[in-house]
Amino acid sequence: MTQVEAPAWAPMTDDERARFDRDGILVIPGVLSESEVEVGRTAIQGAYERAQEPGGHGLNATGALHQLSAVTSVPELAYLIDHPVAFKYIWSMLGWNIHIYHSHVDVHPQIHEKQKEWWHWHQDGGRQNREIETDPRPMFSVKLAFWFSDVSETGRGNFTVIPGSHKTNWLPGPPSRGVPWPQPEGATQITANPGDLVVFDRRIWHARSDNYSTFTRMGAFFGYTYRWIAGRDDVAHLPNEPWFDKLNPVQKQLLGHCPEGDGTGDHAWGHYPATTPLYGALKERGLLDSSIPALIP
């Protein structure tokens, strides 16, 4: 497994926290080194090629890959899930009792035929956006998007958001997804270079734009949430994989397997911080900031 040489752990800054609260999104340049970008790009390209083989995942009608359970599908990407420069945005906001509940790798080559303006706008979280009564709904989850392709200009399948919309429960749209519909007001294509990171609140209204450029769009997305929220990723069998024992304890926790107390409801509820790896890692580094409720044991 790829090992990351990164600076010591440190929390996100007050300025970053204020901007995230205002906009629901941060773009952090240069998080990954050139070698880390190359490792990720090669691994995702391999997944794209395997998807086209007989019995593979398959591609959609435009030749794109959207493959769920990122590390299960592409184990070489495990180095991303606790990358210190990126991961600080997760534990700074969500605390130590967390796991990855939804992740995917995306590859979108050039589209050669103009597509209808289908409505792809959504908030992450599925039924959370129907069954939670508050306005605005709780954040619950923060997502990291690592870029392995050049989306430094618009028109390259850019991740598209409405900044500040994370505190808006509903967005005016079509009566159903099968109806062509124009982009909502305020839609902004996010630009980034290979190695850049996008951090976003799961509630921000977002969509993927179509890629008509000669650049192939390539990224890996990881959604983190509390361990008492059920995961969507396929991770139950991971301890049987030969590469799993090479992961560190925090990575195992993030993939749904705490070394101690694994599989118990009480442990997932956070009743045993002493045997929760991320809690121990933060405590060892003096990062359990008592002013942040999610970091309090």
Side-chain angles (χ1 to χ4, degrees), residues 15-260:
D15 176 67
E16 289 172 327
R17 194 180 291 274
R19 286 189 287 122
F20 190 84
D21 181 67
R22 180 192 68 202
D23 299 332
I25 187 169
L26 295 171
V27 180
I28 313 298
V31 166
L32 301 181
S33 67
E34 290 185 9
S35 61
E36 290 167 347
V37 170
E38 186 58 32
V39 167
R41 182 186 291 129
T42 300
I44 296 173
Q45 180 63 34
Y48 185 69
E49 293 170 0
R50 290 193 299 273
Q52 301 173 67
E53 297 173 353
H57 180 276
L59 307 179
N60 72 8
T62 62
L65 173 68
H66 177 68
Q67 189 158 9
L68 302 178
S69 304
V71 173
T72 301
S73 303
V74 192
E76 298 93 330
L77 299 182
Y79 72 99
L80 296 174
I81 65 177
D82 64 339
H83 191 292
V85 183
F87 190 44
K88 68 179 181 181
Y89 297 102
I90 299 302
W91 59 259
S92 288
M93 290 188 277
L94 296 179
W96 50 267
N97 192 39
I98 58 172
H99 65 164
I100 294 169
Y101 80 120
H102 172 47
S103 61
H104 49 93
V105 293
D106 288 3
V107 181
H108 291 85
Q110 181 181 18
I111 297 174
H112 297 281
E113 296 182 6
K114 181 69 175 178
Q115 304 293 298
K116 292 183 179 180
E117 288 195 65
W118 300 117
W119 184 264
H120 297 299
W121 289 86
H122 65 283
Q123 296 174 306
D124 285 346
R127 295 297 300 181
Q128 291 176 354
N129 300 313
R130 294 287 185 272
E131 297 166 359
I132 303 297
E133 300 173 351
T134 60
D135 187 2
R137 286 181 284 266
M139 179 171 66
F140 280 144
S141 171
V142 176
K143 206 166 188 178
L144 301 181
F146 294 90
W147 292 104
F148 297 95
S149 61
D150 186 346
V151 288
S152 61
E153 297 181 10
T154 60
R156 298 180 178 179
N158 303 63
F159 181 60
T160 307
V161 305
I162 303 175
S165 64
H166 57 303
K167 297 183 181 179
T168 301
N169 278 4
W170 301 103
L171 193 65
S176 67
R177 285 200 174 190
V179 178
W181 205 262
Q183 296 293 302
E185 183 179 355
T188 302
Q189 292 191 23
I190 301 299
T191 56
N193 291 299
D196 289 355
L197 175 75
V198 176
V199 186
F200 62 100
D201 186 318
R202 68 139 193 114
R203 300 170 296 176
I204 197 169
W205 288 90
H206 62 280
R208 174 188 52 79
S209 60
D210 290 326
N211 181 18
Y212 295 106
S213 76
T214 58
F215 292 80
T216 295
R217 174 191 192 263
M218 185 179 293
F221 295 72
F222 300 91
Y224 300 75
T225 194
Y226 305 107
R227 292 171 61 224
W228 40 267
I229 293 177
R232 183 183 183 187
D233 278 3
D234 179 15
V235 296
H237 69 286
L238 290 187
N240 299 322
E241 296 293 334
W243 49 266
F244 188 77
D245 284 341
K246 299 177 183 178
L247 302 179
N248 65 52
V250 170
Q251 291 172 331
K252 291 178 180 179
Q253 172 186 328
L254 296 176
L255 292 173
H257 297 277
C258 277
E260 297 184 54

